[in-house]
Amino acid sequence: MIGGGQLARMTCPAAIALDVGFRILADSADDSAAQVWAATQLGDYRSMDDLAAFANGCDVLTFDHEHVPDEHLRALERAGVLVRPGPAALRFTQDKLAMRDRLTALGIPCPRYAPVKDVAGVQKFAAGRWPVVLKAVSGGYDGKGVWVCESPAEVAEVFSHGLALLAEEHVGFERELAVLAARSPYKQGAVYPVVQTIQVDGICREVIAPAPGLSPGRAAQGQALALRIAAELDVTGLLAVELFETADGLLVNELAMRPHNCGHWTIDGARTSQFEQHLRAVLDLPLGSPAMSAPVTVMANVLGGDGGDVYDRYIHVMAADPGVKVHMYGKAPRPGRKIGHVTVCGEDPESLRDRARRAASYLRWGTEDGE
């Protein structure tokens, strides 16, 4: 796995259970996965030499992020390395304009969009309807590379960064949903329940599985959409599809081809975690059951907070609610940074949300009634 972040770290237990030889290419010994995994090699994912050295002896290369240069991935494929998902598929997560063009050509509903090169182009796209969403064509994640602009002056500030941009309509959605699908080279597919995600400032704060009150028809539509996109883009491994639910139906917002924050709940709440499923898929093993192991699971991300010792707060969290599962990433806390998550399984979504929020709040702020 190229990348040593928390996604790689959470893949390690799945590799242990399957007895899969698992190696990680990390930038630094301080990376989340490098702290816990002996078979870690240090190197730069932007260096072809480092990638080639890492690939030597690997049966399959996969990823915990989308940032490996496309030309390097294609060179590895030409050298006979199995890259899963392949660069032809990964392009649609590395280039948002290519993704929008491809999905639109397939007739898959997306927000209205257009490439833009200057403020005048954005004004023409807006046609007097503000705000307008600007997105970096490449490199954005967790709200970075996305700007909601209320005026031409704000647009001009975004253009000052010198990035390639596209403009999108500001969608008046009812809520945000996500669905995770897996696909193997054997063309087997598996899809998890559609979940609701709660986003604040572009960062996922909570995930509720399954999405409360979602009609069976719309849930089936979301699952079918994820499986179709995975097949059309020839994805191997996991595909996360982030959706807007609107009065008129579902719109595709973003794609990711790797384990994803919307699927962390599966560690405790599904028969097969997303991390095991990804390994099964890229190794062309039969896929595991995506069925839920409890009626409802809620996950809340733990963000860096007041700078206190998070680990000293375990005693309160675990004693107050023994049903809470805590997962930390070994990352130094700083305000707003994802440093872990908690999950709670049960039956009532609102009571589970309250329990998860209280635990995440205490780990962040030292009080259950924090933000």
Side-chain angles (χ1 to χ4, degrees):
M1 181 169 275
I2 297 172
Q6 64 257 32
L7 300 181
R9 181 185 177 111
M10 287 184 276
T11 305
C12 294
I16 292 171
L18 294 173
D19 199 18
V20 168
F22 184 58
R23 294 195 301 176
I24 292 167
L25 181 68
D27 291 338
S28 161
D30 294 328
D31 284 359
S32 183
Q35 296 174 30
V36 299
W37 199 246
T40 296
Q41 185 169 323
L42 299 184
D44 187 343
Y45 66 85
R46 294 159 296 195
S47 164
M48 186 61 211
D49 289 342
D50 287 357
L51 290 171
F54 179 68
N56 184 35
C58 289
D59 296 297
V60 177
L61 282 188
T62 191
F63 313 91
D64 93 334
H65 61 71
E66 296 94 353
H67 306 312
V68 181
D70 176 78
E71 62 271 21
H72 292 352
L73 296 177
R74 293 185 183 277
L76 289 168
E77 277 200 329
R78 289 193 297 271
V81 178
L82 283 179
V83 179
R84 292 175 173 167
L90 278 170
R91 174 171 177 253
F92 299 111
T93 64
Q94 296 175 325
D95 184 326
K96 294 187 190 308
L97 182 58
M99 180 264 287
R100 283 282 181 254
D101 287 345
R102 178 69 172 134
L103 294 183
T104 300
L106 292 170
I108 293 171
C110 298
R112 185 174 65 89
Y113 73 99
V116 288
K117 295 183 177 180
D118 50 31
V119 175
V122 177
Q123 288 180 291
K124 181 179 178 181
F125 174 83
R129 295 188 295 273
W130 298 85
V132 168
V133 178
L134 294 184
K135 291 185 176 181
V137 170
S138 62
Y141 67 98
D142 273 356
K144 299 178 177 67
V146 178
W147 300 266
V148 179
C149 297
E150 301 279 355
S151 68
E154 293 184 12
V155 170
E157 172 63 24
V158 176
F159 271 105
S160 71
H161 301 311
L163 301 171
L165 300 170
L166 73 153
E168 290 186 355
E169 66 175 315
H170 189 266
V171 176
F173 56 83
E174 296 174 353
R175 59 177 170 173
E176 293 184 79
L177 304 173
V179 59
L180 196 65
R183 183 173 178 268
S184 72
Y186 189 70
K187 307 296 191 290
Q188 185 187 9
V191 63
Y192 290 88
V194 178
V195 302
Q196 179 177 350
T197 65
I198 312 298
Q199 311 280 335
V200 179
D201 296 328
I203 298 176
C204 180
R205 298 294 291 272
E206 296 177 54
V207 175
I208 310 164
L214 189 66
S215 71
R218 187 155 285 183
Q221 178 191 3
Q223 291 177 308
L225 190 61
L227 288 170
R228 181 189 171 202
I229 293 172
E232 294 281 8
L233 302 187
D234 196 23
V235 175
T236 299
L238 284 176
L239 171 70
V241 182
E242 298 182 69
L243 302 163
F244 292 136
E245 184 181 19
T246 74
D248 297 324
L250 301 177
L251 297 178
V252 174
N253 181 27
E254 299 284 357
L255 301 179
M257 296 178 191
R258 51 169 171 74
H260 191 265
N261 201 173
C262 74
H264 291 353
W265 66 271
T266 61
I267 299 173
D268 303 305
R271 299 294 182 190
T272 308
S273 79
Q274 65 165 344
F275 303 99
E276 179 182 340
Q277 196 78 289
H278 185 67
L279 288 180
R280 287 183 180 223
V282 300
L283 293 170
D284 208 8
L285 296 170
L287 300 181
S289 169
M292 298 189 65
S293 54
V296 179
T297 298
V298 172
M299 182 217 76
N301 278 316
V302 178
L303 306 183
D306 64 3
D309 190 335
V310 172
Y311 305 100
D312 278 349
R313 295 169 178 171
Y314 278 3
I315 293 175
H316 172 85
V317 169
M318 294 175 178
D321 192 342
V324 171
K325 300 291 288 185
V326 177
H327 300 265
M328 301 301 288
Y329 306 152
K331 297 166 74 171
R334 61 172 181 257
R337 186 188 198 189
K338 291 179 189 172
I339 60 172
H341 71 268
V342 298
T343 50
V344 190
C345 301
E347 296 186 357
D348 177 61
E350 284 308 312
S351 67
L352 294 175
R353 289 183 72 187
D354 181 65
R355 291 167 59 192
R357 285 172 177 170
R358 286 176 178 273
S361 173
Y362 200 89
L363 290 170
R364 185 181 189 188
W365 301 113
T367 172
E368 290 189 5
D369 58 359
E371 180 187 353

